[in-house]
Amino acid sequence: PLSRRIAHQAPLWLIVKHINDIERLHPSDLISKDVSRLDIVELRAVFACLPERFNVDVGNTKKDWRDSVQTRLEKLSDKEINGTLSDQEKRHVSYKGSDIGPFDPNIIIEPYQITTSSAFNKTSLDVNEISAGHNQRMTERLNSELKFSKTKTSTTHNSSLRKNGNASGVSKERKDNLENLIRKQKKQQIGD
C-alpha cells in the first residue's frame, strides 16, 4: 500500500530531488503535481524541498504553484491547531503501523549533471574540407567492398552462391559499378 501511494502521488517524488533539479522543472511538471491529496506530514516534506524562489519562471507559474502548496499547508496547520484535522489529513492510511516515512532522511541528494549538446554550434571546418573527408571515406569504403568481392568467401557461403551461379558473392555488374565509382573518386581528387 505504501509503495502504491508513493508511485501514485507525484508530488512525493520531489522529496528525493535536488533543489536545483526542482528549480529547473518545467512549469507543467509542477502544475501536474496535485498536492490536495497529501496528508500534512507529506505536504510539509514536499514544501520543505521546494526552492524559496524560482530563477526562471515566466509568468510566475512556478511561484503560483508554490504559493498554492503553502496555502494548502497553512490550512492544514490551522486545522491541526484547532483540532479539526481529519485522520486522513493527519496521516494517510498507507502509513499505518509505520513510525517512519518511506525515504531515508539522511541520504545526500545529488543534483543531476546537465550535458549540453554542441549539435547546433557553428563549425570551423571549411565546406571543401568536409567534402574532401567525405570523398576519402567513400573511396575507402568502395575499395574495401571491391577487395571483399575479389577475396574468396567461406566454403559454405561459396557453395550456396554457386547454386545461383555467383561464387564471389558480388555480381559482375556491381563490381563494374564499384570500379567506375572508384575511378570517378580518384579523378575528383586529382582535379581538386
Side-chain angles (χ1 to χ4, degrees):
L2 182 56
S3 60
R4 185 178 302 144
R5 175 142 181 91
I6 293 167
H8 290 272
Q9 292 301 320
L12 294 177
W13 304 347
L14 296 174
I15 296 170
V16 292
K17 279 189 175 287
H18 193 273
I19 196 165
N20 294 346
D21 297 328
I22 295 171
E23 190 174 301
R24 283 192 301 260
L25 285 174
H26 191 274
S28 64
D29 289 331
L30 290 174
I31 292 170
S32 67
K33 294 179 181 5
D34 179 23
V35 295
S36 65
R37 295 186 205 149
L38 299 181
D39 64 41
I40 192 166
V41 178
E42 293 170 332
L43 196 57
R44 284 178 178 148
V46 169
F47 186 74
C49 296
L50 299 178
E52 290 284 326
R53 63 184 188 84
F54 295 92
N55 290 333
V56 179
D57 188 13
V58 179
N60 289 330
T61 310
K62 294 179 184 182
K63 180 189 176 297
D64 292 345
W65 180 81
R66 185 185 187 281
D67 291 346
S68 71
V69 173
Q70 185 174 359
T71 303
R72 170 90 175 132
L73 183 57
E74 288 169 353
K75 284 180 185 177
L76 290 180
S77 295
D78 288 344
K79 283 177 137 183
E80 185 181 44
I81 291 168
N82 297 333
T84 57
L85 199 62
S86 71
D87 289 341
Q88 192 72 357
E89 292 171 328
K90 283 181 189 173
R91 201 66 172 137
H92 191 270
V93 71
S94 298
Y95 295 95
K96 188 175 181 179
S98 177
D99 294 337
I100 59 170
F103 305 112
D104 183 358
N106 299 320
I107 194 167
I108 297 171
I109 300 171
E110 297 289 332
Y112 288 108
Q113 297 299 319
I114 298 175
T115 305
T116 56
S117 171
S118 61
F120 300 104
N121 291 352
K122 290 186 179 181
T123 179
S124 61
L125 289 177
D126 186 12
V127 175
N128 293 330
E129 291 176 31
I130 295 171
S131 179
H134 172 72
N135 288 343
Q136 182 181 357
R137 286 189 303 277
M138 191 64 163
T139 302
E140 289 169 1
R141 186 175 140 231
L142 293 172
N143 279 330
S144 66
E145 264 191 65
L146 190 59
K147 285 177 189 174
F148 174 75
S149 69
K150 289 179 179 178
T151 60
K152 278 192 164 184
T153 55
S154 67
T155 54
T156 55
H157 186 64
N158 244 351
S159 62
S160 65
L161 291 172
R162 280 191 189 113
K163 292 177 185 174
N164 299 328
N166 185 357
S168 67
V170 178
S171 69
K172 180 169 176 14
E173 184 182 330
R174 176 72 176 150
K175 282 184 192 178
D176 292 341
N177 287 341
L178 289 171
E179 288 171 352
N180 287 335
L181 284 171
I182 290 171
R183 274 191 229 108
K184 285 180 185 177
Q185 291 288 333
K186 286 182 182 177
K187 283 181 186 177
Q188 281 182 348
Q189 288 175 353
I190 293 170
D192 292 340

